[in-house]
Amino acid sequence: MLFLISYKFSNPEAQEKGAKMLTEWYDKGGPQNRPEGYEVKSWIFLPQHGNGYSVVDADSLETIWKQWSTWRELLEFTV
């Protein structure tokens, strides 16, 4: 199923912490470590505003949560 996910950092401090987490994630393999059943079709991130959108093909909301759960304290999500 295709899902549209929108996300926005909750404040500037969360955005700064998220940038560090994203760098670490990429350094550890990033996209290769996504859960099975989760494929990003397109995405856009607007760093100056701290928000973005992703279109993902995922087999369940649980799979989406596996990908995004580490960000839950930093971002506001809408699926």
Side-chain angles (χ1 to χ4, degrees):
M1 287 187 274
L2 289 178
F3 294 90
L4 173 63
I5 302 172
S6 66
Y7 41 93
K8 180 177 177 80
F9 282 98
S10 51
N11 58 54
E13 293 81 22
Q15 188 172 351
E16 185 175 327
K17 183 176 180 183
K20 291 176 185 174
M21 288 173 62
L22 185 61
T23 301
E24 290 172 7
W25 181 72
Y26 269 102
D27 287 346
K28 293 178 181 175
Q32 294 83 359
N33 294 325
R34 287 187 174 128
E36 189 173 320
Y38 184 97
E39 181 182 354
V40 176
K41 297 296 186 178
S42 67
W43 66 275
I44 184 170
F45 181 66
L46 306 167
Q48 67 274 25
H49 299 292
N51 61 6
Y53 305 90
S54 294
V55 175
V56 300
D57 187 2
D59 55 13
S60 69
L61 290 173
E62 183 178 338
T63 302
I64 292 171
W65 184 244
K66 285 178 187 177
Q67 174 66 29
W68 288 94
S69 64
T70 57
W71 303 86
R72 68 183 174 268
E73 295 179 15
L74 303 175
L75 295 169
E76 300 168 10
F77 295 95
T78 304
V79 177

